[in-house]
Amino acid sequence: MTEDLLTPLDLAFWCLESPEHPMHLGALGVFAADSATAAQHAAELLAARSAAVSGLRIRIRAVWLPVGGAVREPAGDFSPQNHVHLAPATADFHGAAGRLMERPLARDRPPWEAHVLPHPDGTSFAVLFKFHHALADGLRALALAAGLMDPPPASPTTTAKEARRSEPAPEPTRGRRLPNLFDLPDAVRRHVGDAGRALDIGAAVVGANLVVRSSPALTARPTGTRRTAGVILDLDEVHHIRKTSGGTVNDVLLAVVAGALRRWLDERGDGSEGVAPRALIPVSRRRPRTSRPQGNQLSGYLIRLPVGDPDPLGRLRTVRTAMDRNKDAGTQRGAGAVALLADHVSPLGHRLGGPVVAQAARLLFDVLVTSVPLPSLGLKLAGCPLIEVYPFAPLAQGQSLAVAISTYRGHVHFGLVADGEAVPDLGRLARALQDEISELTEATAE
Protein backbone atom coordinates (compact mmCIF):
# COMPACT_ATOMS: atom_id res chain seq x y z
CA MET A 1 0.00 0.00 0.00
CA THR A 2 1.30 3.46 -0.90
CA GLU A 3 0.68 6.80 0.76
CA ASP A 4 -2.96 7.85 0.91
CA LEU A 5 -3.78 11.53 1.40
CA LEU A 6 -6.24 12.19 4.21
CA THR A 7 -9.57 13.59 3.09
CA PRO A 8 -10.50 17.02 4.50
CA LEU A 9 -12.86 15.47 7.06
CA ASP A 10 -10.28 12.92 8.20
CA LEU A 11 -7.72 15.71 8.54
CA ALA A 12 -10.23 17.75 10.52
CA PHE A 13 -10.65 14.91 13.04
CA TRP A 14 -6.86 14.59 13.30
CA CYS A 15 -6.43 18.33 13.94
CA LEU A 16 -9.38 18.71 16.34
CA GLU A 17 -7.73 16.49 18.92
CA SER A 18 -6.10 17.77 22.10
CA PRO A 19 -4.72 15.88 25.13
CA GLU A 20 -7.91 16.68 27.07
CA HIS A 21 -10.22 15.83 24.15
CA PRO A 22 -9.04 12.72 22.29
CA MET A 23 -10.84 11.98 19.03
CA HIS A 24 -11.08 8.22 19.15
CA LEU A 25 -14.06 5.93 18.83
CA GLY A 26 -14.45 3.04 21.23
CA ALA A 27 -16.32 -0.21 21.72
CA LEU A 28 -16.46 -2.37 24.83
CA GLY A 29 -17.22 -5.99 24.06
CA VAL A 30 -17.99 -8.45 26.86
CA PHE A 31 -17.28 -12.14 26.22
CA ALA A 32 -18.39 -15.22 28.16
CA ALA A 33 -15.20 -17.02 29.21
CA ASP A 34 -14.83 -20.79 29.47
CA SER A 35 -11.62 -20.80 31.51
CA ALA A 36 -9.49 -18.64 33.79
CA THR A 37 -6.92 -18.24 31.00
CA ALA A 38 -9.41 -17.17 28.30
CA ALA A 39 -8.53 -13.47 28.60
CA GLN A 40 -4.81 -14.11 28.17
CA HIS A 41 -5.50 -16.36 25.19
CA ALA A 42 -7.70 -13.64 23.69
CA ALA A 43 -4.93 -11.06 24.07
CA GLU A 44 -2.45 -13.38 22.38
CA LEU A 45 -4.84 -13.96 19.47
CA LEU A 46 -5.52 -10.24 19.04
CA ALA A 47 -1.80 -9.52 18.89
CA ALA A 48 -1.12 -12.31 16.40
CA ARG A 49 -4.06 -11.47 14.14
CA SER A 50 -3.49 -7.71 14.13
CA ALA A 51 -0.27 -8.15 12.17
CA ALA A 52 -2.29 -9.72 9.32
CA VAL A 53 -4.88 -6.91 9.04
CA SER A 54 -3.45 -4.23 6.77
CA GLY A 55 -5.71 -1.46 8.07
CA LEU A 56 -4.24 -1.87 11.56
CA ARG A 57 -0.69 -1.26 10.36
CA ILE A 58 -1.44 2.23 9.03
CA ARG A 59 -0.07 5.35 10.70
CA ILE A 60 -0.78 9.02 9.95
CA ARG A 61 2.08 11.34 9.05
CA ALA A 62 2.19 15.06 8.25
CA VAL A 63 3.50 16.01 4.79
CA TRP A 64 4.96 19.14 3.24
CA LEU A 65 2.56 19.18 0.29
CA PRO A 66 -0.20 20.02 0.39
CA VAL A 67 0.81 22.42 3.14
CA GLY A 68 -0.81 21.28 6.39
CA GLY A 69 -1.85 17.93 4.92
CA ALA A 70 -1.26 14.40 6.18
CA VAL A 71 -1.20 10.91 4.71
CA ARG A 72 -1.86 7.36 5.79
CA GLU A 73 1.07 5.05 5.18
CA PRO A 74 2.20 1.58 6.27
CA ALA A 75 4.17 1.59 9.52
CA GLY A 76 7.37 -0.33 8.87
CA ASP A 77 8.05 -0.74 12.58
CA PHE A 78 4.57 -2.02 13.49
CA SER A 79 4.59 -4.05 16.70
CA PRO A 80 1.38 -5.64 18.06
CA GLN A 81 2.73 -5.25 21.61
CA ASN A 82 2.31 -1.48 21.27
CA HIS A 83 -1.41 -1.89 20.60
CA VAL A 84 -2.75 -4.98 22.41
CA HIS A 85 -2.61 -4.86 26.21
CA LEU A 86 -3.70 -7.33 28.88
CA ALA A 87 -4.97 -5.28 31.83
CA PRO A 88 -5.20 -6.32 35.49
CA ALA A 89 -8.35 -8.20 36.44
CA THR A 90 -11.36 -6.03 37.26
CA ALA A 91 -15.03 -6.59 38.00
CA ASP A 92 -15.85 -3.05 36.83
CA PHE A 93 -15.47 -3.15 33.07
CA HIS A 94 -17.04 0.28 32.57
CA GLY A 95 -14.91 1.88 35.26
CA ALA A 96 -11.77 0.62 33.54
CA ALA A 97 -13.11 1.62 30.13
CA GLY A 98 -13.73 5.19 31.30
CA ARG A 99 -10.14 5.58 32.49
CA LEU A 100 -8.79 4.11 29.25
CA MET A 101 -11.01 6.33 27.10
CA GLU A 102 -9.38 9.38 28.73
CA ARG A 103 -5.99 8.55 27.24
CA PRO A 104 -5.21 9.84 23.73
CA LEU A 105 -3.80 7.37 21.26
CA ALA A 106 -0.14 7.70 20.31
CA ARG A 107 0.11 9.80 17.16
CA ASP A 108 3.47 8.46 15.98
CA ARG A 109 2.21 4.92 15.32
CA PRO A 110 -1.01 3.32 14.02
CA PRO A 111 -3.70 5.05 16.11
CA TRP A 112 -5.61 2.15 17.65
CA GLU A 113 -5.51 -0.01 20.78
CA ALA A 114 -7.18 -3.10 22.20
CA HIS A 115 -7.28 -3.56 25.98
CA VAL A 116 -8.27 -6.99 27.32
CA LEU A 117 -9.92 -6.79 30.76
CA PRO A 118 -10.19 -10.12 32.64
CA HIS A 119 -12.91 -10.58 35.24
CA PRO A 120 -11.55 -11.83 38.61
CA ASP A 121 -13.86 -14.86 38.65
CA GLY A 122 -12.72 -16.00 35.20
CA THR A 123 -16.28 -16.32 33.84
CA SER A 124 -15.97 -13.37 31.47
CA PHE A 125 -13.61 -10.82 30.02
CA ALA A 126 -14.02 -7.59 28.08
CA VAL A 127 -12.10 -5.99 25.23
CA LEU A 128 -12.02 -2.23 24.78
CA PHE A 129 -11.18 -1.25 21.21
CA LYS A 130 -10.08 2.33 20.46
CA PHE A 131 -9.73 3.67 16.91
CA HIS A 132 -8.87 7.26 16.02
CA HIS A 133 -11.64 8.91 14.03
CA ALA A 134 -9.07 9.93 11.39
CA LEU A 135 -8.24 6.26 10.87
CA ALA A 136 -11.80 4.94 10.73
CA ASP A 137 -15.43 5.90 11.08
CA GLY A 138 -17.83 3.60 12.92
CA LEU A 139 -18.38 1.21 10.01
CA ARG A 140 -14.68 0.97 9.20
CA ALA A 141 -13.78 0.46 12.88
CA LEU A 142 -16.33 -2.34 13.02
CA ALA A 143 -14.73 -4.01 9.99
CA LEU A 144 -11.26 -3.75 11.52
CA ALA A 145 -12.39 -5.19 14.86
CA ALA A 146 -14.32 -7.99 13.12
CA GLY A 147 -11.13 -8.94 11.30
CA LEU A 148 -9.65 -9.86 14.69
CA MET A 149 -12.51 -12.11 15.75
CA ASP A 150 -12.69 -15.87 15.23
CA PRO A 151 -13.60 -16.93 11.68
CA PRO A 152 -17.25 -17.93 11.27
CA PRO A 153 -18.01 -21.66 11.61
CA ALA A 154 -19.22 -21.81 8.00
CA SER A 155 -15.71 -20.98 6.83
CA PRO A 156 -13.31 -22.70 9.22
CA THR A 157 -10.34 -22.03 6.96
CA THR A 158 -10.94 -18.32 6.79
CA THR A 159 -8.25 -16.37 8.59
CA ALA A 160 -7.88 -12.71 9.46
CA LYS A 161 -5.41 -12.48 6.59
CA GLU A 162 -7.97 -13.82 4.15
CA ALA A 163 -10.57 -11.44 5.50
CA ARG A 164 -8.15 -8.63 4.87
CA ARG A 165 -7.75 -9.71 1.25
CA SER A 166 -11.51 -9.44 0.75
CA GLU A 167 -11.49 -5.76 1.72
CA PRO A 168 -11.78 -3.34 -1.21
CA ALA A 169 -8.40 -1.86 -2.03
CA PRO A 170 -8.07 1.87 -1.35
CA GLU A 171 -7.23 4.20 -4.15
CA PRO A 172 -4.28 6.35 -3.03
CA THR A 173 -4.46 10.06 -3.65
CA ARG A 174 -1.09 10.93 -5.13
CA GLY A 175 -1.85 14.40 -6.38
CA ARG A 176 -4.07 16.42 -8.63
CA ARG A 177 -4.00 16.03 -12.39
CA LEU A 178 -4.25 19.01 -14.71
CA PRO A 179 -7.90 19.65 -15.64
CA ASN A 180 -9.23 18.78 -19.05
CA LEU A 181 -10.46 21.99 -20.66
CA PHE A 182 -13.64 20.26 -21.79
CA ASP A 183 -14.38 19.38 -18.17
CA LEU A 184 -14.23 22.98 -16.94
CA PRO A 185 -17.92 23.92 -17.42
CA ASP A 186 -19.02 20.90 -15.38
CA ALA A 187 -16.34 21.66 -12.79
CA VAL A 188 -17.56 25.25 -12.47
CA ARG A 189 -21.14 24.08 -12.00
CA ARG A 190 -20.03 21.63 -9.31
CA HIS A 191 -18.11 24.33 -7.43
CA VAL A 192 -21.05 26.72 -7.63
CA GLY A 193 -23.36 23.99 -6.35
CA ASP A 194 -20.94 23.17 -3.52
CA ALA A 195 -20.73 26.83 -2.54
CA GLY A 196 -24.51 27.08 -2.47
CA ARG A 197 -24.78 24.05 -0.22
CA ALA A 198 -22.10 25.45 2.08
CA LEU A 199 -24.05 28.71 2.41
CA ASP A 200 -27.24 26.77 3.13
CA ILE A 201 -25.50 24.75 5.84
CA GLY A 202 -23.99 27.89 7.38
CA ALA A 203 -27.36 29.63 7.46
CA ALA A 204 -28.99 26.57 9.00
CA VAL A 205 -26.32 26.43 11.70
CA VAL A 206 -27.01 30.05 12.61
CA GLY A 207 -30.75 29.41 12.70
CA ALA A 208 -30.34 26.32 14.87
CA ASN A 209 -28.58 28.38 17.52
CA LEU A 210 -31.40 30.88 17.92
CA VAL A 211 -33.81 30.69 20.87
CA VAL A 212 -32.70 27.34 22.22
CA ARG A 213 -32.49 26.24 25.82
CA SER A 214 -30.25 23.35 26.78
CA SER A 215 -29.06 22.26 30.20
CA PRO A 216 -25.78 23.17 31.92
CA ALA A 217 -25.41 19.45 32.66
CA LEU A 218 -24.83 18.82 28.93
CA THR A 219 -22.40 21.70 28.37
CA ALA A 220 -20.47 21.87 31.63
CA ARG A 221 -16.88 23.03 31.84
CA PRO A 222 -14.75 20.16 30.46
CA THR A 223 -12.23 18.44 32.71
CA GLY A 224 -10.77 15.83 30.37
CA THR A 225 -11.93 12.97 32.59
CA ARG A 226 -14.13 10.19 31.25
CA ARG A 227 -16.81 7.91 32.61
CA THR A 228 -18.71 5.24 30.67
CA ALA A 229 -21.89 3.27 31.24
CA GLY A 230 -23.90 0.73 29.29
CA VAL A 231 -27.57 -0.19 28.97
CA ILE A 232 -29.25 -3.11 27.21
CA LEU A 233 -32.86 -2.88 26.00
CA ASP A 234 -35.06 -5.54 24.42
CA LEU A 235 -35.37 -4.94 20.67
CA ASP A 236 -38.83 -6.57 20.67
CA GLU A 237 -40.10 -3.80 22.96
CA VAL A 238 -38.72 -1.18 20.59
CA HIS A 239 -40.43 -2.86 17.63
CA HIS A 240 -43.71 -3.03 19.55
CA ILE A 241 -43.58 0.73 20.17
CA ARG A 242 -42.66 1.39 16.53
CA LYS A 243 -45.50 -0.75 15.16
CA THR A 244 -48.02 0.84 17.51
CA SER A 245 -46.97 4.49 17.13
CA GLY A 246 -45.35 4.58 13.69
CA GLY A 247 -41.96 5.87 12.66
CA THR A 248 -38.72 3.96 12.70
CA VAL A 249 -36.65 2.11 15.27
CA ASN A 250 -34.28 5.09 15.29
CA ASP A 251 -37.18 7.45 16.03
CA VAL A 252 -38.16 5.34 19.04
CA LEU A 253 -34.59 5.23 20.35
CA LEU A 254 -34.18 9.00 20.01
CA ALA A 255 -37.45 9.46 21.91
CA VAL A 256 -36.10 7.13 24.61
CA VAL A 257 -32.98 9.30 24.88
CA ALA A 258 -35.14 12.44 25.17
CA GLY A 259 -37.29 10.90 27.90
CA ALA A 260 -34.29 9.59 29.79
CA LEU A 261 -32.66 13.03 29.74
CA ARG A 262 -35.88 14.48 31.15
CA ARG A 263 -35.94 12.00 34.03
CA TRP A 264 -32.24 12.46 34.69
CA LEU A 265 -32.37 16.27 34.75
CA ASP A 266 -35.39 16.28 37.04
CA GLU A 267 -33.86 13.73 39.43
CA ARG A 268 -30.60 15.65 39.77
CA GLY A 269 -32.51 18.90 40.38
CA ASP A 270 -31.54 20.70 37.17
CA GLY A 271 -35.09 20.75 35.84
CA SER A 272 -36.29 19.81 32.35
CA GLU A 273 -38.98 22.40 31.72
CA GLY A 274 -38.43 24.13 28.38
CA VAL A 275 -35.23 22.20 27.70
CA ALA A 276 -34.69 21.23 24.03
CA PRO A 277 -31.03 20.29 23.54
CA ARG A 278 -29.70 20.10 19.98
CA ALA A 279 -28.80 16.52 19.13
CA LEU A 280 -26.42 15.84 16.26
CA ILE A 281 -27.29 12.56 14.52
CA PRO A 282 -24.38 11.47 12.27
CA VAL A 283 -25.41 9.83 9.00
CA SER A 284 -23.01 7.64 7.05
CA ARG A 285 -22.72 8.47 3.35
CA ARG A 286 -20.57 5.41 2.72
CA ARG A 287 -21.66 3.02 0.01
CA PRO A 288 -20.70 -0.66 0.00
CA ARG A 289 -17.38 -1.37 -1.68
CA THR A 290 -16.45 2.28 -2.03
CA SER A 291 -13.04 3.13 -3.39
CA ARG A 292 -11.95 4.81 -0.17
CA PRO A 293 -12.80 2.37 2.63
CA GLN A 294 -10.77 4.22 5.26
CA GLY A 295 -12.01 7.76 4.77
CA ASN A 296 -14.87 9.15 6.82
CA GLN A 297 -18.01 9.61 4.74
CA LEU A 298 -20.30 11.49 7.11
CA SER A 299 -23.07 14.03 7.13
CA GLY A 300 -25.75 14.39 9.77
CA TYR A 301 -29.12 15.59 10.98
CA LEU A 302 -29.72 18.10 13.76
CA ILE A 303 -32.87 17.92 15.86
CA ARG A 304 -34.00 19.40 19.13
CA LEU A 305 -34.83 16.65 21.56
CA PRO A 306 -38.23 17.38 23.18
CA VAL A 307 -36.92 16.91 26.72
CA GLY A 308 -39.35 19.46 28.12
CA ASP A 309 -42.46 17.60 26.88
CA PRO A 310 -44.01 15.58 29.76
CA ASP A 311 -45.91 13.23 27.38
CA PRO A 312 -43.84 10.20 26.23
CA LEU A 313 -45.94 9.71 23.09
CA GLY A 314 -45.78 13.45 22.41
CA ARG A 315 -41.99 13.24 22.55
CA LEU A 316 -42.05 10.38 20.06
CA ARG A 317 -44.31 12.29 17.67
CA THR A 318 -42.05 15.33 17.85
CA VAL A 319 -38.95 13.26 17.14
CA ARG A 320 -40.63 11.47 14.25
CA THR A 321 -41.75 14.75 12.67
CA ALA A 322 -38.29 16.30 13.03
CA MET A 323 -36.54 13.25 11.55
CA ASP A 324 -39.01 13.07 8.64
CA ARG A 325 -38.29 16.73 7.91
CA ASN A 326 -34.55 16.07 7.96
CA LYS A 327 -34.87 13.08 5.64
CA ASP A 328 -37.00 15.04 3.19
CA ALA A 329 -34.31 17.76 3.06
CA GLY A 330 -31.54 15.16 2.62
CA THR A 331 -28.03 14.91 4.03
CA GLN A 332 -26.50 17.60 1.81
CA ARG A 333 -28.04 20.61 3.55
CA GLY A 334 -29.11 21.69 7.00
CA ALA A 335 -27.28 22.42 10.23
CA GLY A 336 -26.53 18.73 10.79
CA ALA A 337 -24.44 18.59 7.61
CA VAL A 338 -21.60 20.59 9.19
CA ALA A 339 -19.16 17.76 8.44
CA LEU A 340 -19.51 18.59 4.74
CA LEU A 341 -18.01 22.02 5.36
CA ALA A 342 -14.64 20.34 5.94
CA ASP A 343 -14.30 19.96 2.16
CA HIS A 344 -14.27 23.76 1.81
CA VAL A 345 -11.27 24.26 4.11
CA SER A 346 -7.66 23.94 2.98
CA PRO A 347 -5.32 21.48 4.74
CA LEU A 348 -3.45 24.40 6.29
CA GLY A 349 -6.77 25.82 7.45
CA HIS A 350 -7.57 22.56 9.24
CA ARG A 351 -4.09 22.48 10.76
CA LEU A 352 -4.22 26.04 12.09
CA GLY A 353 -7.93 26.27 12.80
CA GLY A 354 -8.44 22.89 14.50
CA PRO A 355 -8.18 24.23 18.07
CA VAL A 356 -10.62 27.05 17.28
CA VAL A 357 -13.13 24.73 15.64
CA ALA A 358 -12.88 22.32 18.57
CA GLN A 359 -13.89 25.08 20.97
CA ALA A 360 -16.87 25.94 18.77
CA ALA A 361 -18.42 22.46 19.04
CA ARG A 362 -20.72 23.55 21.86
CA LEU A 363 -22.12 26.25 19.57
CA LEU A 364 -23.16 23.65 16.98
CA PHE A 365 -24.83 20.98 19.13
CA ASP A 366 -25.36 19.93 22.74
CA VAL A 367 -25.25 16.14 22.60
CA LEU A 368 -24.16 13.55 20.04
CA VAL A 369 -26.46 10.56 19.43
CA THR A 370 -25.00 8.11 16.94
CA SER A 371 -25.89 4.62 15.75
CA VAL A 372 -23.35 1.95 14.73
CA PRO A 373 -24.77 -1.17 13.02
CA LEU A 374 -23.43 -4.57 14.05
CA PRO A 375 -23.64 -7.90 12.23
CA SER A 376 -26.54 -10.13 13.26
CA LEU A 377 -24.36 -13.22 13.41
CA GLY A 378 -22.73 -14.10 16.70
CA LEU A 379 -19.09 -13.09 17.09
CA LYS A 380 -16.48 -15.02 19.07
CA LEU A 381 -12.94 -14.42 20.27
CA ALA A 382 -10.78 -17.34 21.42
CA GLY A 383 -13.90 -19.46 21.21
CA CYS A 384 -15.72 -17.21 23.69
CA PRO A 385 -19.03 -15.68 22.47
CA LEU A 386 -19.59 -11.94 22.45
CA ILE A 387 -22.59 -11.35 24.71
CA GLU A 388 -22.60 -7.55 25.13
CA VAL A 389 -21.16 -4.69 23.09
CA TYR A 390 -21.24 -0.99 23.96
CA PRO A 391 -20.14 1.55 21.33
CA PHE A 392 -18.51 4.78 22.51
CA ALA A 393 -18.38 8.07 20.61
CA PRO A 394 -15.78 10.83 21.05
CA LEU A 395 -16.73 13.60 23.45
CA ALA A 396 -16.44 17.02 21.83
CA GLN A 397 -14.89 19.92 23.71
CA GLY A 398 -17.42 21.76 25.84
CA GLN A 399 -19.86 18.86 25.91
CA SER A 400 -20.52 16.47 28.75
CA LEU A 401 -22.32 13.54 27.14
CA ALA A 402 -22.25 11.42 23.98
CA VAL A 403 -24.64 8.54 23.27
CA ALA A 404 -23.88 5.66 20.88
CA ILE A 405 -26.32 2.88 20.01
CA SER A 406 -25.87 -0.57 18.47
CA THR A 407 -28.29 -3.42 17.88
CA TYR A 408 -26.87 -6.90 18.41
CA ARG A 409 -28.68 -10.23 18.49
CA GLY A 410 -32.12 -9.03 19.54
CA HIS A 411 -30.98 -6.31 21.95
CA VAL A 412 -30.22 -2.61 21.77
CA HIS A 413 -26.96 -1.64 23.44
CA PHE A 414 -26.45 1.96 24.58
CA GLY A 415 -22.90 3.12 25.20
CA LEU A 416 -22.69 6.34 27.23
CA VAL A 417 -19.55 8.47 27.48
CA ALA A 418 -19.48 11.48 29.77
CA ASP A 419 -17.09 13.93 31.35
CA GLY A 420 -16.24 12.15 34.59
CA GLU A 421 -16.51 15.21 36.83
CA ALA A 422 -19.37 16.98 35.09
CA VAL A 423 -21.53 13.83 35.08
CA PRO A 424 -20.66 11.78 38.18
CA ASP A 425 -24.17 10.26 38.12
CA LEU A 426 -23.97 8.65 34.67
CA GLY A 427 -25.37 5.44 36.14
CA ARG A 428 -28.55 7.35 36.98
CA LEU A 429 -28.96 8.31 33.31
CA ALA A 430 -28.43 4.66 32.34
CA ARG A 431 -31.27 3.61 34.63
CA ALA A 432 -33.43 6.40 33.21
CA LEU A 433 -33.10 4.84 29.74
CA GLN A 434 -34.49 1.58 31.08
CA ASP A 435 -37.32 3.37 32.87
CA GLU A 436 -38.20 5.34 29.75
CA ILE A 437 -38.57 2.29 27.50
CA SER A 438 -40.89 0.79 30.12
CA GLU A 439 -43.02 3.94 30.19
CA LEU A 440 -43.25 4.05 26.39
CA THR A 441 -44.24 0.40 26.30
CA GLU A 442 -47.00 1.03 28.84
CA ALA A 443 -48.17 4.15 27.01
CA THR A 444 -48.54 2.27 23.72
CA ALA A 445 -50.41 -0.57 25.43
CA GLU A 446 -53.20 1.73 26.68
Side-chain angles (χ1 to χ4, degrees), residues 158-250:
T158 300
T159 63
K161 186 174 183 179
E162 290 169 338
R164 170 182 60 84
R165 289 174 183 158
S166 68
E167 294 178 356
E171 293 182 356
T173 304
R174 296 184 178 89
R176 297 177 179 174
R177 64 178 177 87
L178 292 175
N180 185 321
L181 293 179
F182 294 101
D183 293 339
L184 287 178
D186 288 339
V188 170
R189 280 194 291 271
R190 284 195 299 271
H191 284 301
V192 171
D194 288 345
R197 281 191 290 272
L199 289 173
D200 285 347
I201 294 170
V205 168
V206 173
N209 283 281
L210 299 177
V211 194
V212 59
R213 179 174 178 242
S214 184
S215 168
L218 298 177
T219 55
R221 182 179 179 85
T223 66
T225 59
R226 293 292 181 270
R227 188 182 300 268
T228 74
V231 179
I232 301 178
L233 305 181
D234 190 332
L235 185 57
D236 286 342
E237 284 190 271
V238 177
H239 279 304
H240 167 76
I241 297 168
R242 176 189 62 80
K243 292 176 182 177
T244 304
S245 301
T248 67
V249 166
N250 196 47

Side-chain angles (χ1 to χ4, degrees), residues 356-415:
V356 176
V357 174
Q359 294 178 15
R362 69 168 64 190
L363 302 178
L364 300 175
F365 61 97
D366 301 305
V367 60
L368 180 74
V369 184
T370 185
S371 178
V372 181
L374 292 176
S376 57
L377 55 88
L379 298 175
K380 291 185 177 182
L381 177 60
C384 302
L386 176 66
I387 55 176
E388 301 172 20
V389 56
Y390 304 99
F392 298 137
L395 197 59
Q397 185 169 335
Q399 294 169 341
S400 303
L401 175 69
V403 180
I405 308 170
S406 285
T407 301
Y408 179 67
R409 310 210 75 185
H411 293 88
V412 180
H413 293 72
F414 282 79

